[in-house]
Amino acid sequence: MKRRTLIQWAAGSSALATVSALPSLAQAAEAPKDIRLDYAYYNPSSLVIRRFGWLEEEFKKDGIGVNWVLSAGSNRALEYLNGNSIDIGSSAGLAAVLSKANGNPIRTPYIFSRPEWTALLVPKNSPIQTLADLKGKKIAATKGTDPYLFLLRALHTVGLKRSDIEHVSLQHADGKAALEQGRVDAWAGLDPLMAASELGAGSRLLYRNVAFNTYGFLNVREDFLQRHPNEVRRVLAVYERARQWIQGNTRAAAQILSEEAKVSLEVALLQLKVRTDFTQPQPGTQHIQALQAASPILLDEALVRPGTNVQKVITDLVDTQFAQSVIRRG
C-alpha cells in the first residue's frame, strides 16, 4: 500500500508540475499584441524604418501593432526599457553597460551603427585650446549617455576627474543651446546636434577620439527576448533591410534624417557620410573588447556600485549569437 501510494503521489506531482509549466510555455508561444520600440535621431536606421512603415508592413498580417516612442538620448531609451515602456530601444554601448550594471534587464543582439557621434565642443571664439584648460569650467553633458562618458574619459587622459569641472546636466538639445548662448564653456555633443552646432554656429571641436565613441546598441528587454524571439528576429531583419538601404541610398537617408531632426541636409550628410559606419551589425569580440577598454571609467567615477563585476555585465549584455541568422553579408 505504501509503495502504491508513493507511486500515485509521484504521478500526481508530475502531472501538477506539467500543468504548472503550461502557462509559461503558452506564454512563450503567444505572439505579442504589439511591439513597442524607439526611434532616435542618433539611430538613422530607426528613422528609415519608421518613415517607410516597414515594421507595420511586416507585422500587419499577424495583427501585431507597432508603437513608436522618440528617444532624445541613450538615457531616455534606457529609462523606457527599464520602466517597461518599450521593448526595444537604441543607445550607446557604454551607456547600456552602465544601465545594465545598475539593474536594467536588457540584452543587445544587434549593432545599428559604429558612429563618431560625440566630441567635446567649445564656442568658436573660446580661449580654451586643450583638455587641460577645462579645469574649473562649466561643461554640459547628458548623464547616462555616451557624450557624458566620453567627457569623463577625455578628462582622465589629462589627469582630470568629474570633480575638477562643473558638470551641467542638460539633455542634448539644451546643451547645444547653452553652448551657443555662452552659458557653458564646453559641451559634450551628440550628432546631428553636434554637426548642426559646428556648421550653424561655428562651434569648434576641441577634442575628438573615435575610440571613445562606443557603438550603437539595439537593446531588447530580456523578458521580451525570451518570450518573443521570433518577433525580435523579424525586427532585426527589418533593421538589416534599413542598413542595406542606407548604404545604397545615403543621400536619401540623409534627407529623411534632415526632415525628422529638423537639421539641414548638409548637417545630415556630415553625420551619415563622414561619421557613421554601417558595416558591422553583428555583435562580436570587437564590441566586447571596446566596452572592456571603456569600462574602468564606470568604477573610477563611482557610476556603479563598488565591486561590480563590469566584465561580467558586458558579457551578459552582448549577445553574439542571436542575430547571426538574419544579418545579410556584404
Side-chain angles (χ1 to χ4, degrees):
M1 289 291 293
K2 288 183 179 179
R3 184 173 180 274
R4 188 184 303 120
T5 302
L6 182 61
I7 292 171
Q8 290 173 340
W9 177 86
S13 297
S14 176
L16 285 173
T18 302
V19 170
S20 66
L22 286 176
S24 61
L25 292 172
Q27 187 179 38
E30 184 180 351
K33 293 181 180 178
D34 54 22
I35 295 174
R36 306 165 301 166
L37 69 165
D38 77 339
Y39 66 103
Y41 307 141
Y42 54 84
N43 178 358
S45 292
S46 70
L47 303 181
V48 169
I49 293 167
R50 183 170 175 267
R51 171 65 65 90
F52 291 138
W54 287 342
L55 275 180
E56 289 83 353
E57 174 186 289
E58 170 66 25
F59 289 105
K60 183 178 180 180
K61 59 182 176 294
D62 304 306
I64 299 173
V66 176
N67 296 326
W68 294 96
V69 176
L70 175 65
S71 290
S74 293
N75 60 322
R76 292 288 184 255
L78 293 163
E79 286 169 8
Y80 299 151
L81 285 162
N82 199 32
N84 196 20
S85 297
I86 60 175
D87 308 304
I88 301 172
S90 44
S91 77
L94 190 55
V97 173
L98 172 60
S99 188
K100 187 173 180 67
N102 288 319
N104 198 346
I106 54 174
R107 286 184 69 82
T108 304
Y110 188 84
I111 307 298
F112 62 81
S113 74
R114 171 60 165 115
E116 185 191 3
W117 52 20
T118 186
L120 297 183
L121 290 83
V122 294
K124 61 180 177 180
N125 297 320
S126 172
I128 296 172
Q129 297 297 324
T130 68
L131 286 173
D133 295 337
L134 293 176
K135 186 173 182 178
K137 297 296 192 292
K138 290 183 178 181
I139 306 176
T142 309
K143 272 191 171 183
T145 67
D146 225 25
Y148 178 67
L149 299 168
F150 179 96
L151 166 64
L152 298 182
R153 295 178 75 188
L155 292 174
H156 277 228
T157 66
V158 293
L160 299 178
K161 293 188 175 183
R162 178 176 49 175
S163 57
D164 292 315
I165 64 160
E166 183 180 343
H167 171 234
V168 181
S169 185
L170 296 171
Q171 198 63 43
H172 300 301
D174 297 326
K176 173 181 179 292
L179 180 78
E180 294 175 358
Q181 293 166 9
R183 293 186 282 115
V184 295
D185 301 296
W187 169 52
L190 181 73
D191 270 341
L193 296 168
M194 181 171 73
S197 191
E198 282 180 82
L199 298 180
S203 298
R204 175 165 51 89
L205 295 180
L206 173 72
Y207 180 74
R208 297 174 69 176
N209 188 332
V210 175
F212 282 7
N213 286 253
T214 56
Y215 295 80
F217 275 31
L218 193 67
N219 310 298
V220 185
R221 285 184 53 83
E222 288 180 337
D223 62 343
F224 191 83
L225 187 61
Q226 290 168 1
R227 288 186 289 116
H228 307 298
N230 291 333
E231 285 74 20
V232 173
R233 284 191 184 89
R234 290 165 68 184
V235 171
L236 299 189
V238 172
Y239 255 88
E240 272 296 281
R241 180 181 179 184
R243 182 179 72 87
Q244 296 279 341
W245 186 86
I246 291 171
Q247 288 180 300
N249 301 274
T250 305
R251 190 174 184 86
Q255 185 64 46
I256 292 173
L257 172 60
S258 169
E259 293 169 4
E260 292 289 332
K262 295 180 173 56
V263 297
S264 70
L265 181 59
E266 184 182 15
V267 164
L269 284 168
L270 175 57
Q271 177 182 346
L272 286 189
K273 290 193 72 172
V274 179
R275 293 179 178 166
T276 308
D277 178 1
F278 292 97
T279 63
Q280 299 179 1
Q282 173 64 55
T285 303
Q286 72 270 34
H287 305 106
I288 292 173
Q289 290 176 342
L291 293 176
Q292 288 173 337
S295 64
I297 197 72
L298 304 181
L299 289 165
D300 292 344
E301 289 284 358
L303 300 176
V304 296
R305 291 183 298 275
T308 298
N309 187 343
V310 181
Q311 304 307 310
K312 184 177 187 304
V313 172
I314 292 169
T315 55
D316 288 346
L317 172 69
V318 181
D319 191 322
T320 61
Q321 302 295 322
F322 187 86
Q324 286 184 351
S325 63
V326 300
I327 287 178
R328 297 164 58 189
R329 306 299 173 184

